[in-house]
Amino acid sequence: MTKLAIYDMDRTITVRGTYTPFLFHMVFARAPWRLVFLPLLPFGFIGYGLKLISRKDLKTYNQRLLLGSKPSVAQLEPHIERYADKVIQTNSYAKAIVQVEADRAEGRKLVLATASYELYVNAIATRLGFDDIIATRLKIDEQGQVLPEIIGENCYDVAKLDRIKSFLDEQGLARESVHIRAYSDHISDAPMLDFADEAVATTPTPKLRALAKQRGWKILDWN
C-alpha cells in the first residue's frame, strides 16, 4: 500500500498566510512604485465580502495590482527564491517541519496541497523536501510571462479535494490502495480531511477544532 502525507501549507506549516506577503515582497523587491495602487485593494475585499466576486477573482485582482499583468517568470525567480528562504526562516512551525520529517522517515510520499500559487509554492516545497505539490496554477504565456489568470479553480475547499483525486488518478493510484494522512488548520479543508484515512487538525481554527472533536480527528498544537 502506498502511504501519503498531504499537508495544507498556509497556517498549517507556516505560521501566517503567504499569499499577500508574497505580493508585497515582490512589490518592495521589484517595483515599489506599485504601492500607489494600495488604495484600490480594499475595493476587491469589499466586492468579495458582498459576494460580487469570487475568492479566485479577488486573488487575481490583487495580483494584477501588486505583481503586474505580465511579469516574466525569469525576472521573478530570484525574488521567489529569496521569499521562500524567508518563509522557511521566519514563518514556519518548527513542530510542523519535525512532523514532515517523521512522515518521510515512515516512508510516506509527501504532498503539499495549497490554495497558494504554484508560482512560489514550488520553491517552498523544495526546501521542505516535498515530493509533489498541488497548488493554484497561473497561466503563463508563450513568452514566459505570468498572467493574472488562474487555470481551472482556486485550489481551495472542494476544489482542492478534486485536485487531490486527479493527482491520484495521474499517479495511477486507486483510492483503496493508498493510505492518506492529511493535515490542515482550517475548516475549508474539511473535504480533504474527510477523504483521508487519518485526519489531523493542526493548531486549528475554532470551527475546525469543534469539527475535529466531533469526528474524533487528532488535534495537534504546533505553537
Side-chain angles (χ1 to χ4, degrees), residues 207-223:
K207 286 184 179 180
L208 181 58
R209 185 178 294 274
L211 181 63
K213 289 179 178 178
Q214 178 185 334
R215 301 282 177 85
W217 294 342
K218 188 173 183 178
I219 298 174
L220 295 177
D221 185 352
W222 283 345
N223 281 314

Side-chain angles (χ1 to χ4, degrees), residues 8 17 30 41 56 75-76 95 103 109-110 112 120 139-140 164 166 175 182 207 215 219 223:
D8 173 50
R30 296 178 59 250
L41 289 180
K56 173 180 174 179
Q75 291 174 341
L76 296 180
K95 291 180 182 178
D103 283 329
K109 187 172 186 177
L110 302 173
L112 192 59
Y120 68 86
K139 185 172 182 180
I140 299 174
I164 291 170
S166 295
R175 179 63 186 90
K207 286 184 179 180
R215 301 282 177 85
I219 298 174
N223 281 314

Side-chain angles (χ1 to χ4, degrees), residues 59 113-116 134-136 153-157 159-160 163:
K59 289 176 81 166
T114 173
S116 295
I134 298 168
T136 299
E153 294 301 320
N154 185 38
C155 188
Y156 182 81
D157 203 285
K160 182 186 286 190
R163 289 283 305 280

